[in-house]
Structures are given as structure tokens and as C-alpha cells.
């Protein structure tokens, strides 16, 4: 299992660098500063949790167990839900209509997954 977590951590880390560069170069001139800040929050949390997932993968090799496995799963799902909802919110606010702020209501579900993952790691 640790190899799967390693691969996903590497992918999420690389994707966060790509998305960060996209936000810095392609989005800044096209959407509001608030929308850029929302996007950057998603990138930041994605990158932090890619590193956290890397730690889980390393720990899992020597300390395999269901709690650590669930920690990794929650980091992955939380990152997808939390950061993904912020990316979608940014694109909708910036290119469709600022009235789509209700999509941000999904974000706390991802945050809860991330918090639970940290508590399980504890």
C-alpha cells in the first residue's frame, strides 16, 4: 500500500506545482484577486497534503495498520474534495458567474476529511 500512497503523493505534488504556475501566470490577469486567492488556497492545501501523504507512505512501510491506511485515504479524498471544490469555485466565479459561491459549501467536507486524517495519524 505504501507504494500506492507514494505514487499518489508524487502526482498530487506535481499537479500542485502545475496548478500553482497556472494560477500565477494564466489566471491572475483574467479573474478577480479574490478568485485567485481562493485558487491559491486550494493549491497550498493540495501541496501540504501531498507532503503529508508522502509521510504516510513512508510511515506505512514500517508501521502498517488500518488507521494509517485510513489516514492516507482521508488525505487523498480530502484533497480532492477540498482543493477540487476550490478550483471549481474559482473557475465558475471567474468565468461563468460570481453567483456560484454555493459550491463552496462542499469545501468543508474535504476539510473534515483532512482533519480526520490528521487525527488518525495522531
Amino acid at each position: 500500500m505504501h507504494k500506492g500512497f507514494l505514487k499518489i503523493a508524487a502526482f498530487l505534488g506535481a499537479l500542485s506545482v502545475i496548478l500553482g504556475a497556472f494560477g500565477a501566470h494564466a489566471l491572475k490577469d483574467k479573474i478577480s484577486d479574490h478568485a485567485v486567492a481562493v485558487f491559491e488556497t486550494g493549491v497550498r492545501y493540495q501541496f501540504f497534503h501531498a507532503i503529508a501523504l508522502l509521510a504516510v507512505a513512508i510511515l506505512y512501510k514500517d508501521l502498517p495498520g488500518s488507521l494509517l491506511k485510513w489516514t492516507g485515504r482521508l488525505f487523498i479524498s480530502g484533497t480532492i474534495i477540498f482543493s477540487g471544490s476550490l478550483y471549481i469555485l474559482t473557475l465558475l466565479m471567474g468565468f461563468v458567474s460570481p453567483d456560484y459561491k454555493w459550491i463552496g459549501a462542499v469545501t468543508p467536507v474535504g476539510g473534515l476529511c483532512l482533519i480526520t486524517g490528521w487525527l488518525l495519524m495522531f
Side-chain angles (χ1 to χ4, degrees):
M1 179 58 96
H2 68 284
K3 290 180 183 178
F5 286 161
L6 275 171
K7 289 177 182 180
I8 294 169
F11 175 76
L12 289 174
L15 185 60
S16 67
V17 174
I18 292 166
L19 291 172
F22 174 74
H25 299 290
L27 288 181
K28 283 210 179 209
D29 297 334
K30 294 181 175 51
I31 61 177
S32 71
D33 289 341
H34 173 68
V36 170
V38 170
F39 190 84
E40 288 173 348
T41 299
V43 171
R44 186 172 40 256
Y45 274 77
Q46 180 176 330
F47 190 70
F48 290 157
H49 287 88
I51 294 169
L53 185 60
L54 179 64
V56 169
I58 292 167
L59 288 171
Y60 191 82
K61 181 178 179 190
D62 293 326
L63 303 168
S66 64
L67 287 180
L68 204 52
K69 190 182 292 188
W70 274 105
T71 297
R73 290 173 179 164
L74 285 165
F75 283 166
I76 293 166
S77 59
T79 299
I80 292 168
I81 297 167
F82 184 88
S83 294
S85 67
L86 292 179
Y87 300 148
I88 292 168
L89 177 63
T90 299
L91 295 175
L92 289 174
M93 284 182 359
F95 297 108
V96 179
S97 170
D99 297 331
Y100 282 98
K101 291 183 181 180
W102 60 269
I103 291 178
V106 174
T107 307
V109 175
L112 186 59
C113 289
L114 296 173
I115 291 166
T116 305
W118 283 108
L119 292 174
L120 287 179
M121 183 183 258
F122 171 74

